[in-house]
Amino acid sequence: MILTLYEPFRHWSETGSVYILSDPHFGDSSCKLMDPGWIEPEEQVSRINALVMKNDTFVCLGDVGDASFVKQIKAGKKILLLGNHDKKKDYKGLFDEIYDGPLLIAEKIILSHEPVYGLPWCLNIHGHDHSNIESYKEGCKHLNLAANVCGYTPVSLGKLIKGGILSDITSIHRITINDRVIERKEKLKSLPIGISDYVRAQF
């Protein structure tokens, strides 16, 4: 059980591990034009099933491709965040949960298809960027799990967390408190000396 997950998503880890991958583009022949090393969908499913067991949850961050390959994935629970190439109707009945946009699944973790920016209090796990040269703006810490970028191999969310990937991210609560302290200090500086001493003495 991954206790850091928010309650609505904690059931993902109730019986096993949570594995995440993005952009398999199963059976999409145009992927070879983008990346000549793109592997066949059967090999992708084989790599997924080498890790993901029946008790586990498989989270796909979008751009699934041929829906028939989803049936071959062994995971007990399958979750989809729709990508820019996905239509919800194509995957109904194949995924247990389907989401249209980014998901804040824990205090410091946001899942999305495309990278998100300007959120310094979270790790953004995403796909979409097949070249892995996105010029990420200041803000979120990013982990790109587009299939060809991560070796077509799903990543264990639990292992990421245990490995300390969140340790250098300051929570939104701490950022808010720090900002308030700085704001208060600035206000005190602007007060006349006698008054500022009196205000400081009250705290």
Side-chain angles (χ1 to χ4, degrees), residues 3-202:
L3 295 176
T4 54
L5 293 179
Y6 286 140
E7 196 278 329
F9 308 106
R10 207 167 287 160
H11 70 278
W12 292 359
S13 63
E14 275 176 348
T15 59
S17 299
V18 177
Y19 287 94
I20 305 174
L21 184 69
S22 190
D23 300 85
H25 287 278
F26 293 131
D28 185 349
S29 58
S30 64
C31 287
K32 287 270 189 188
L33 301 174
M34 176 181 62
D35 181 348
W38 198 275
I39 66 174
E40 296 301 319
E42 294 80 6
E43 176 61 21
Q44 285 201 60
V45 170
S46 177
R47 292 192 191 190
I48 292 167
N49 285 338
L51 288 172
V52 181
M53 301 291 113
K54 288 181 181 177
N55 291 335
D56 296 331
T57 295
F58 175 69
V59 180
C60 181
L61 300 180
D63 288 359
V64 179
D66 186 339
S68 66
F69 290 97
V70 177
K71 298 176 186 176
Q72 300 174 32
I73 296 171
K74 291 188 297 191
K77 291 187 190 91
K78 298 172 190 175
I79 314 298
L80 174 62
L81 272 70
L82 294 169
N84 54 301
H85 291 282
D86 297 326
K87 291 179 181 172
K88 192 172 186 176
K89 64 179 179 62
D90 294 337
Y91 304 107
K92 279 189 174 177
L94 296 174
F95 287 92
D96 298 280
E97 299 168 31
I98 299 177
Y99 298 94
D100 285 320
L103 283 183
L104 184 64
I105 62 167
E107 182 182 10
K108 296 182 180 181
I109 304 172
I110 188 167
L111 304 180
S112 63
H113 175 62
E114 297 181 21
V116 297
Y117 305 110
L119 305 176
W121 44 267
C122 73
L123 166 68
N124 175 214
I125 304 175
H126 64 87
H128 188 67
D129 176 16
H130 292 285
S131 62
N132 204 31
I133 57 170
E134 175 81 21
S135 180
Y136 297 119
K137 300 170 188 174
E138 295 264 343
C140 298
K141 180 176 183 177
H142 291 89
L143 178 62
N144 183 3
L145 294 183
N148 64 313
V149 171
C150 64
Y152 307 92
T153 305
V155 171
S156 164
L157 179 60
K159 285 184 179 176
L160 283 176
I161 293 168
K162 285 180 184 174
I165 196 166
L166 305 175
S167 62
D168 62 345
I169 300 173
T170 305
S171 76
I172 190 168
H173 307 293
R174 176 48 51 195
I175 290 172
T176 303
I177 291 166
N178 290 348
D179 287 348
R180 182 67 184 98
V181 168
I182 291 167
E183 185 182 296
R184 186 173 166 274
K185 284 180 179 176
E186 291 301 317
K187 281 184 179 177
L188 283 174
K189 281 182 193 174
S190 67
L191 292 173
I193 292 186
I195 295 175
S196 63
D197 288 340
Y198 171 77
V199 172
R200 284 189 191 94
Q202 307 307 305

